Amino acid sequence: MADPLLALAPPFQLALRAAFGDEWASEGPVIRRSDRADYQADVALGLAKKLGRPPREVAAALLEHLDLSGICSAVEIAGPGFINLTLRDEWLAERTARLLTHAKLDVEASGPTETVVVDYSSPNVAKEMHVGHLRSTIIGDALVRVFEFLGHRVIRQNHLGDWGTPFGMLIEHLIDAGEDATLAVSAADLESFYKQARAKFDADPAFAERSRRRVVLLQGGDVRTLALWNELVDQSKRYLSLVYERLGVSLREADIRGESFYNPRLDGVVRDLDERGLLVTSDGASCVFPSGFTNKANEPLPLIVRKQDGGYGYAATDLAAVRYRTGELGASRVLVVVGAPQQQHLAMVNAVARDAGWLVPPARAEHVAFGSVLGADKKMFKTRSGENIKLISLLDEAVQRALAIVAEKNPSLDARTQADVARQIGIGAVKYADLSSDRVKDYVFDWQRMLAFDGNSAPYLQYAHARIRSIFRRGGVEPASLHEQGATLSIEAPAERALALELMGFGAAVRSVADSLQPHRLCTYLYTLATRFSTFFEQCPVLNSAPATRASRLLLCELSARTLSEGLGLLGIEAPDQM
C-alpha cells in the first residue's frame, strides 16, 4: 500500500523486538506528520518510562536495529527522544505514482471488514423535513459512503416514525376531510395537515376520543384503518424520496425500517427480557432497570418496555431494532445517528440489549451524537416567525444563492450549465458547512461563509478541482494519454514534495473517519490538500515546463483532482469540472 504510515510501522515493530525483546514488539509507534521532517515517531518516549531508561538512550538503541534504508533518506533523533523520518525522493515518487493506478487510490480498511448498520435521517410520517433533520441525514450518509468505500457491508436503516398514538389522530382527520383527500396531501403542506389534526385533537374532546379508538383499530389490524394508514405512509415516502434526491443522499425507500416494522417483534422482546429475569413490574408497567442509571434522587432509572395500558413505547421499538440488527442482519457495528439529547436513552437501550444477550462482542452499538444548527443570534435556526425552516426551502435558497454567484463569476457558461453547477455548489455548501464542523458541537448557519470561494468551504474545494480540470483543457491533454505515453512522476521542488506527501495521506484520513465517526477529519484533510495544491500551482509551472517535468506535474495534477473528487464524493458532494 502507498500509505507511508503503513510502510513505516512494520520496521519499527521488528526493531522493537530486536532491541528490547518480544514483550515490547507490540508497542505501536505513533507516527505523525511533522514540520521538522516528513514524519515523526514518539515511541521512545513512552517506552522509556516503562523501561526506566532515558528516552534518547531508548531511541538510540531502537535505531541500531531500525532498517528504513529503502524508505527513508534520513532517520534522526531529535529533542527529548523523538525520531524524525525523511522519506527518499525516489520512494515518495514511486508510492505516489502507485495511487494513480488504483481504483480506490490504494485505500483499504485498517482491519477486517464488518457488517455495519447505520440508522440515520428518521423523519416522521405526515411531517415535512425541516432543518432539524439536516444533520442526521448528512452525517449518516457521509459515514455510509466511507464505510462502503473501505469495503464494509453497509446496511442503511431509515427509522421512520410511522406508528403510534399520533396516527389515530391523523387517520381520523383524514376521514373527516374525506378519504380521497390523500390525493391532495402529497401536493399540500404535510406540516399543515399534521397541525390541523393536532389542533382538532387538542380542542375537540370527541375527536380526541375517536382518535384514541382509531389507534386501537390500527394496532388491531382493522382493514380500513390500515388502508388509510398506508395512504399516509405512501404519500410521505414519495415526499421523502424527492427530498433525498434533492439533497443528494443515498437513502432509498427500500432502506426504510419504520417503527411499524418492529411491531410484530415487540412480543419477542418482552419474552426474551422476561426469560432472562430482567423484566420488573413497576407501577403497573413492565420495565428494566439497567445498572448504573439513576434519577436526580439517586434512585434506579427504569426503561419502560410496556406501559400500564399494555401499549409499547419508543424503548421497546429501539430494543427490537437492536435485536433485529444484530440477530437477523448480522451487524457487528450499529451506528445510530441522532441528536445529543438522546444520549441517556440510547445508553440505557444498549445496556439492556447487552444484558439481554443481543449486543455481545464483537457486536457493539454507538450513538453518533451531534449538536444543533444555530442562527446568527446563536439560537435554534428558525424563520423570523419562529417556525422550523423546511428543508426543501433551505435547499432551494442555497441553489438560488449559488446561481447568482456562478452567473457573476462565469457569465460565459450557458444557462443549463450554470443551473447544474449552481445545484452542485449550493447543495455542496450546505453539506460541507455541516460536515466540516465537529459534529458534537453546535454550529452557526452562515450563508456568506458556506458559499465563499475561499477558506474552508465546499466552493473552495470544488473550485480547486475545477481549476485542475481546466489545466488539462487548456493544455489539450487527456489524463489517460499520460499513462499511455509512459509519463513518470518525479519529486524535485519542495512544493511537489509537500503535495505528494499530502496526497498519500488520503487513506489515513478516510480510515480516521471510520474509526472516530468524525467526518470533519476528512474535510480538514481535503482543505489542506487544496491549499497544498494551490501552493504547488503557484510555485511550479505545469504547462510551460520542459516535457518530462510537464508530464510529471500533470500526473500530480491528475492525482490531486481524483483525490479531491473522491474525497468530496465520500461527503456526498459533487465536484464540478468547471465553475
Side-chain angles (χ1 to χ4, degrees), residues 377-395:
D377 57 1
K378 304 295 177 68
K379 296 180 181 178
M380 296 295 288
F381 190 39
K382 295 187 176 182
T383 64
R384 291 182 179 178
S385 63
E387 295 288 319
N388 286 326
I389 296 175
K390 295 173 184 176
L391 191 49
I392 284 288
S393 300
L394 185 78
L395 300 179

Side-chain angles (χ1 to χ4, degrees), residues 260-270 316 320 323-324 328:
S260 61
F261 174 81
Y262 298 104
N263 196 54
R265 292 167 166 80
L266 299 182
D267 286 343
V269 167
V270 172
R323 183 173 177 259
Y324 166 73
E328 297 184 49

Side-chain angles (χ1 to χ4, degrees), residues 119-122 132-141 337-338 370:
D119 175 340
Y120 66 110
S121 193
S122 306
H133 296 106
L134 186 66
R135 302 211 71 185
S136 174
T137 307
I138 291 175
I139 293 169
D141 204 58
V337 188
V338 71
F370 53 82

Side-chain angles (χ1 to χ4, degrees), residues 118 135-147 335 337 368-370 431-440 456 461 509-527 567-568 570-573:
V118 186
R135 302 211 71 185
S136 174
T137 307
I138 291 175
I139 293 169
D141 204 58
L143 293 176
V144 159
R145 292 170 187 267
V146 165
F147 278 101
L335 310 178
V337 188
V368 185
F370 53 82
K431 287 185 171 183
Y432 192 85
D434 190 300
L435 295 170
S436 60
S437 304
D438 185 339
R439 64 169 168 78
V440 300
N456 190 11
L461 299 181
V510 175
R511 287 190 294 273
S512 75
V513 174
D515 293 339
S516 67
L517 307 177
Q518 291 277 14
H520 79 271
R521 296 189 178 193
L522 179 56
C523 296
T524 300
Y525 166 81
L526 293 173
Y527 175 61
L568 286 169
L570 293 178
L571 300 173
I573 298 172

Side-chain angles (χ1 to χ4, degrees), residues 357-374:
W358 307 324
L359 194 61
V360 295
R364 68 271 194 209
E366 298 163 81
H367 176 199
V368 185
F370 53 82
S372 301
V373 183
L374 307 179

